[in-house]
Amino acid sequence: MNVENKTTTPKGDIEKVKCLIIGSGPAGYTAAIYAARANLSPVIIEGMQPGGQLTTTTEIDNFPGYPEGITGTEMMADLKKQAERFGTDCRWGLVTSVDFSSYPHKVVVDGNKTIEAESVILGTGATAKYLGLETETTYAGSGVSACATCDGFFYRGKDVAVVGGGDTAAEEATYLAGLCNKVYLIVRKPFLRASKAMQDRVNRTENIEVLYEHNTKEITGDGVVEGVTLIKRLGHDDEQEVKIKVDGFFLAIGHTPNSGFFKQFITTDANGYVITEPDSTRTNVPGVFACGDLKDSVYRQAVTSAGSGCMAAIDAEKFLAERE
Ligand code: NDP
C-alpha cells in the first residue's frame, strides 16, 4: 500500500498537519502505523532517543510475534519501517514547547519551528530516575550509569553495583552478571519487588550478591568510580556503614514520565503521569491524546504501550471525523 503524505504546504513558517505524534517508542510508532493507515498523514517527532527506551535494552522475549526474541534496537527499527511503509513522516527533532490553549494546537520543534496540528498524540515515555546524590553527577560518565545494557560492556571482568529492587534492577543485574566478575544488587527493603521469575534468575546467578536493607550514602573514587559507601539497616534505630569496591554504579530505581513541557495544559497525577479518560487516550484537552509509559505507571510494557498507541490513533481519527 502506498500512501501519499498529505502534510499541508507550510504557510509562512507554520506547517499544518492533521496528526502530530510526539515520541518514538512502541506507543508513538504504533500510533503512527494506525494513523497513517487511516489517512491522517502523521508526522512523528522522534525526540532525543529515536526508538525510545527499548533501544537501550538487550533481548526482548515477551513481545508477541517474535518467538526467538529480538533486540530492542531491531524491534524499534522494524516498527519505524512499518510506520514509514504507510507514509509516516519520521523526523529527528525535539519538541521544546506547546500551546494547547487554542485550536489548532501549536507545537514548537527545536525552539524555532512551529507546527499547527489538528490532533496531537503524546507518547514521550519516561526517563530513568537518579538517587539525587551529588556524587552521581560528579561521576556521570565516569562509572555512574542508568543503563546497564548501554554501558555494561565497559565493565567486563570488573565488579559493579546496581541499585533497585524491581524488574529493571533484577534484569540489569543478571545482564551485568554475564559480563562482570561480581554484581552487588543494592536493595533498600528486606525483599525484592521484582516478579518471581526475575527474583529466581537473580538468586540462581552465582556472581550476584543481594545486599538487602542497604542504602547508598556516596560514591567514591579518584576521578572515576572506585567504590560505594552504603548504610546497612541493622534493626530499630541501628545502622552500619559498609564500603564496597566497584568500578561501575548502575541506577535502576524507576522512571519519571516526560510530561514537563506540556504540564501547563495537560492534567497529570502527582507523579507527572498523564491522566486520560477511562477506557480512552483522551486527555483534558480535546484533540490531544496520550499513550505509552507517559500515562501508564502500572503495566509499562512494550506491548501495552503499543496497544495504547493504537488506541490513541483510533481516538484521534474519531475526533477528526467528528469535527468534519
Ligand atoms: P519499579 O518502580 O518497579 O522499581 C523501582 C525499584 O527501585 C524498587 O525496588 C524501589 O524500592 C527502588 N527504589 C526507588 N527509589 C529508590 C531510592 N531512592 N533508593 C533505593 N531504591 C529505590 O521500577 P522498574 O523500573 O524496576 O520497573 C518499572 C515497571 O516496568 C514495572 O512494572 C516492571 O514490572 C516493568 N518491567 C518489566 C520488565 C519485563 O517484563 N521484562 C523489565 C523491566 C521492567 P522499593 O521496592 O523499596 O520501592
Side-chain angles (χ1 to χ4, degrees):
M1 185 174 160
N2 205 357
V3 177
E4 188 195 343
N5 194 313
K6 295 201 192 78
T7 301
T8 316
T9 319
K11 183 184 127 200
D13 275 334
I14 299 182
E15 180 184 2
K16 291 177 184 287
V17 304
K18 244 185 184 166
C19 178
L20 185 74
I21 300 168
I22 308 175
S24 58
Y29 282 138
T30 306
I33 292 165
Y34 275 76
R37 287 172 59 84
N39 272 346
L40 302 188
S41 310
V43 171
I44 184 164
I45 307 296
E46 294 182 314
M48 288 291 276
Q49 192 178 43
Q53 287 181 77
L54 279 187
T55 55
T56 65
T57 63
T58 44
E59 205 71 20
I60 297 169
D61 281 330
N62 51 11
F63 198 91
Y66 293 107
E68 305 304 325
I70 185 161
T71 68
T73 313
E74 281 174 306
M75 194 176 96
M76 296 319 297
D78 280 352
L79 281 175
K80 178 173 178 172
K81 220 187 290 171
Q82 196 173 350
E84 286 178 330
R85 182 178 148 216
F86 298 110
T88 303
D89 180 350
C90 297
R91 299 182 191 171
W92 194 90
L94 191 67
V95 172
T96 40
S97 66
V98 299
D99 182 355
F100 294 156
S101 64
S102 60
Y103 191 82
H105 304 302
K106 284 160 206 67
V107 172
V108 178
V109 182
D110 295 330
N112 56 21
K113 166 143 180 79
T114 302
I115 297 178
E116 269 186 9
E118 290 174 45
S119 64
V120 175
I121 295 177
L122 302 169
T124 44
T127 299
K129 277 186 193 164
Y130 281 73
L131 292 169
L133 301 172
E134 206 176 294
T135 43
E136 277 171 327
T137 321
T138 313
Y139 298 104
S142 304
V144 171
S145 165
C147 179
T149 45
C150 319
D151 301 327
F153 182 76
F154 302 112
Y155 301 91
R156 280 169 302 163
K158 298 185 172 175
D159 292 354
V160 297
V162 176
V163 189
D167 279 322
T168 303
E171 197 174 84
E172 306 228 325
T174 46
Y175 171 72
L176 287 167
L179 293 169
C180 302
N181 175 55
K182 173 154 188 159
V183 179
Y184 295 97
L185 184 55
I186 304 165
V187 183
R188 67 179 174 183
K189 290 214 173 111
F191 54 85
L192 289 171
R193 185 201 284 217
S195 61
K196 180 79 174 63
M198 288 308 297
Q199 290 191 32
D200 288 346
R201 270 181 76 183
V202 166
N203 293 330
R204 276 201 313 267
T205 308
E206 281 183 3
N207 59 340
I208 297 179
E209 184 181 344
V210 186
L211 301 175
Y212 290 107
E213 297 193 80
H214 282 67
N215 274 291
T216 310
K217 185 181 172 192
E218 63 171 350
I219 304 158
T220 54
D222 186 8
V224 293
V225 172
E226 291 174 1
V228 181
T229 307
L230 305 169
I231 302 293
K232 178 183 181 183
R233 188 141 48 100
L234 294 173
H236 209 60
D237 280 347
D238 202 5
E239 55 186 39
Q240 178 193 351
E241 201 167 273
V242 176
K243 288 182 191 288
I244 54 171
K245 280 190 162 190
V246 290
D247 297 294
F249 182 79
F250 291 87
L251 281 310
I253 60 168
H255 293 81
T256 307
N258 299 319
S259 54
F261 70 92
F262 56 74
K263 234 176 179 167
Q264 187 189 344
F265 302 99
I266 300 293
T267 308
T268 64
D269 68 11
N271 295 318
Y273 287 94
V274 172
I275 296 172
T276 51
E277 288 176 25
D279 297 327
S280 101
T281 61
R282 287 189 295 271
T283 68
N284 58 304
V285 176
V288 179
F289 307 88
C291 52
D293 285 9
L294 178 66
K295 57 154 271 179
D296 174 17
S297 61
V298 180
Y299 300 103
R300 294 185 276 192
Q301 300 300 298
V303 66
T304 50
S305 280
S308 73
C310 154
M311 289 167 66
I314 291 173
D315 288 343
E317 183 193 356
K318 194 162 172 251
F319 169 82
L320 293 170
E322 281 168 2
R323 282 188 64 85
E324 274 170 11

